Amino acid sequence: MVRQRQQGMALLMALVMMAIAVTLVAGLWYSSRLSLFRTQQSHQNLQAQHLSQGLLIWASDILENDYSESNQAYDTSGDAWHQGIRGMVVEQAVLSGDLTGMNHLFNINNLMINNEVSQVHLDYFIRLLTALNLDVSLADKILDWMDPDQQPRPGGAEDFAYAAESPPYQTAGAPFSHIRELYLIAGMDEAQFKQLSPYVTALPVMQSSSLMNINTLPPVMIKALDPAISEELAVRIYQQGEASFTRMDDFYRFDKDIEFLPGLNDKKPVFEQLVGVQTRYLQARTDVVIDDHSYSQYALLHRRNNGASQVVMRSPIPFLP
């Protein structure tokens, strides 16, 4: 009987030891596989970053060649850089990328430059809101969001208005970092955002305001340039998306058979603060597919005078809504 108990205990101990050994082996196998997976993922991430950087260098070269191959630096909707690339195989990876100009949009950060309201841009924005049938008090709320003080404008809202939200938050007291930040503005709902977002963006403010490109502006934004521009004239200037003014002087002489705008010489200084013929800001999208894993990244590019570009910021989400 004692011997049977001893044999039973020995068998039990053997089973326990075997279970521990199997558990340890399984743990080591799992840890090894996890470590290998992490190493592969890390390698793929580094490879994707490397290839994405290569796509951005390609984009900068394309943009620089666009200006160097022409006598005048201007951008239209038909420029070659709009084409992008699809399905390029490099280092066992599949690359795709495209460039999207952003100067067909109004930069809401232009409303306040060096902590001072830009009246020219505010007047334009109010005309645009009116044309879109949106509440013009949005302009005051956006200004209050950016300004450093706590004095609400007539239609605005400062920190006290946001303190009642759940959870409460404060105004930024700084330029917008992304267009989706507009969702935080008091009274901004999904419907208003969808109506406004196709016409606005949030770009950095450098030494001066960023100009909209007259060659890529939609008719409603052309009409908002001046009360004297009729809807019919705005559509003709748009030219079904194929406008190609090489200089602003060409824009001023758009139609020689009519008086383009009454008192045009007085309006030129205003126009020159709002529009030009170049696309200086672009969104670059890069897609890298490695072993059925997709890596996407977005970069905001600023184009210099010679056409070459530099990366202003990167983001895992689009800069365009």
Side-chain angles (χ1 to χ4, degrees), residues 93-136:
V94 181
L95 312 184
S96 299
D98 57 49
L99 292 166
T100 305
M102 299 181 69
N103 289 93
H104 65 295
L105 306 168
F106 174 74
N107 181 12
I108 55 175
N109 286 332
N110 282 341
L111 290 171
M112 182 163 289
I113 300 174
N114 296 325
N115 289 331
E116 295 291 337
V117 175
S118 172
Q119 194 62 46
V120 167
H121 292 94
L122 177 58
D123 291 344
Y124 175 84
F125 188 50
I126 289 174
R127 290 194 295 270
L128 179 61
L129 291 173
T130 301
L132 297 174
N133 295 315
L134 289 169
D135 187 351
V136 296

Side-chain angles (χ1 to χ4, degrees), residues 6-310:
Q6 289 175 342
Q7 289 177 341
M9 290 295 294
L11 179 60
L12 179 61
M13 289 297 295
L15 291 174
V16 170
M17 293 300 292
M18 183 179 292
I20 293 173
V22 169
T23 302
L24 288 173
V25 170
L28 289 172
W29 177 86
Y30 177 77
S31 178
S32 175
R33 294 292 297 176
L34 182 60
S35 178
L36 178 62
F37 175 76
R38 286 174 174 170
T39 300
Q40 290 175 337
Q41 286 294 102
S42 178
H43 174 73
Q44 287 185 356
N45 284 332
L46 289 173
Q47 185 181 8
Q49 291 176 16
H50 167 73
L51 294 172
S52 293
Q53 184 62 33
L55 284 172
L56 292 178
I57 294 174
W58 161 83
S60 183
D61 289 342
I62 291 292
L63 293 171
E64 187 171 10
N65 290 338
D66 178 53
Y67 278 3
S68 64
E69 292 174 359
S70 62
N71 294 326
Q72 293 175 312
Y74 66 98
D75 298 289
T76 72
S77 297
D79 286 349
W81 54 260
H82 286 280
Q83 297 175 5
I85 58 173
R86 295 288 184 275
M88 178 187 293
V89 179
V90 178
E91 299 178 9
Q92 298 182 334
V94 181
L95 312 184
S96 299
D98 57 49
L99 292 166
T100 305
M102 299 181 69
N103 289 93
H104 65 295
L105 306 168
F106 174 74
N107 181 12
I108 55 175
N109 286 332
N110 282 341
L111 290 171
M112 182 163 289
I113 300 174
N114 296 325
N115 289 331
E116 295 291 337
V117 175
S118 172
Q119 194 62 46
V120 167
H121 292 94
L122 177 58
D123 291 344
Y124 175 84
F125 188 50
I126 289 174
R127 290 194 295 270
L128 179 61
L129 291 173
T130 301
L132 297 174
N133 295 315
L134 289 169
D135 187 351
V136 296
S137 70
L138 278 174
D140 280 345
K141 293 181 176 67
I142 289 172
L143 284 171
D144 278 341
W145 183 265
M146 290 191 291
D147 67 26
D149 62 47
Q150 288 298 313
Q151 300 297 320
R153 300 171 195 278
E158 290 288 1
D159 286 354
F160 71 88
Y162 300 101
E165 298 291 332
S166 181
Y169 57 95
Q170 297 177 318
T171 56
F176 285 77
S177 57
H178 194 283
I179 193 60
R180 297 187 70 83
E181 197 176 339
L182 278 175
Y183 271 120
L184 299 174
I185 297 298
M188 179 68 71
D189 56 25
E190 183 72 20
Q192 291 184 87
F193 181 80
K194 285 185 176 180
Q195 192 171 356
L196 179 61
S197 59
Y199 305 100
V200 297
T201 187
L203 299 173
V205 176
M206 303 293 191
Q207 297 297 325
S208 59
S209 62
S210 54
L211 300 178
M212 296 177 289
N213 186 347
I214 189 63
N215 289 323
T216 57
L217 283 187
V220 67
M221 296 184 70
I222 296 174
K223 186 177 184 300
L225 286 172
D226 191 275
I229 298 179
S230 65
E231 184 173 346
E232 184 269 338
L233 180 56
V235 169
R236 284 198 289 128
I237 293 172
Y238 180 63
Q239 298 177 51
Q240 297 182 329
E242 298 182 358
S244 57
F245 301 109
T246 60
R247 301 174 304 171
M248 283 303 295
D249 284 345
D250 297 332
F251 167 66
Y252 298 139
R253 295 194 299 266
F254 171 66
D255 194 332
K256 296 180 180 178
D257 298 329
I258 63 172
E259 185 178 5
F260 177 58
L261 286 176
L264 180 59
N265 289 330
D266 295 334
K267 298 174 186 288
K268 282 184 179 180
V270 173
F271 284 169
E272 288 170 359
Q273 294 181 63
L274 295 172
V275 290
V277 295
Q278 295 177 323
T279 294
R280 289 297 189 96
Y281 283 94
L282 305 97
Q283 173 185 272
R285 180 182 61 87
T286 61
D287 291 323
V288 179
V289 179
I290 305 174
D291 295 337
D292 295 328
H293 295 284
S294 181
Y295 303 84
S296 297
Q297 189 176 59
Y298 298 86
L300 178 63
L301 306 182
H302 179 244
R303 205 173 183 188
R304 298 189 288 268
N305 290 334
N306 64 351
S309 62
Q310 64 184 27

